[in-house]
Amino acid sequence: MLALRQEALQIVNDIPDNLLAAFVQYLKNFKPDKKISIDDLNVDPKKAAAMKAIAEWQERNRTILESGIDWDKEFELAMEEKYGPFN
């Protein structure tokens, strides 16, 4: 992403001064004024409800999700506990 950002900055730096105001106005059209929610999109209501439920679950469990737990290791340990060693 850094390379893409640098390329964009180089393009902006290369724009002549007489075109800069128009270019900035053009870029402002891409800047979202508000956060787009799933409700703003034309999506199947069942899918929208499912996505909303997932987002709410993620928000409620943010501390667990960002805790740095090695989920693959936890899965492996749980499988060994239930079924015994795999060797």
Side-chain angles (χ1 to χ4, degrees):
M1 190 58 120
L2 181 62
L4 187 60
R5 184 174 299 277
Q6 288 175 338
E7 182 181 0
L9 290 173
Q10 185 60 47
I11 291 169
V12 170
N13 288 335
D14 291 343
I15 293 177
D17 289 341
N18 62 330
L19 299 176
L20 195 55
F23 182 74
V24 169
Q25 186 60 40
Y26 177 77
L27 287 177
K28 285 181 180 180
N29 292 332
F30 290 99
K31 185 177 178 183
D33 293 335
K34 65 175 188 145
K35 189 175 182 180
I36 297 173
S37 72
I38 193 77
D39 299 327
D40 297 334
L41 304 173
N42 187 17
V43 178
D44 175 32
K46 286 184 179 181
K47 289 180 182 178
M51 293 299 292
K52 187 174 182 179
I54 289 170
E56 289 170 356
W57 181 89
Q58 288 175 327
E59 195 59 40
R60 285 192 313 269
N61 295 288
R62 176 93 28 229
T63 55
I64 294 170
L65 294 173
E66 294 175 351
S67 66
I69 293 174
D70 183 351
W71 295 105
D72 292 329
K73 184 68 176 170
E74 292 295 322
F75 175 74
E76 184 181 313
L77 291 173
M79 293 297 284
E80 277 189 27
E81 182 179 317
K82 184 167 184 166
Y83 299 109
F86 292 111
N87 296 334

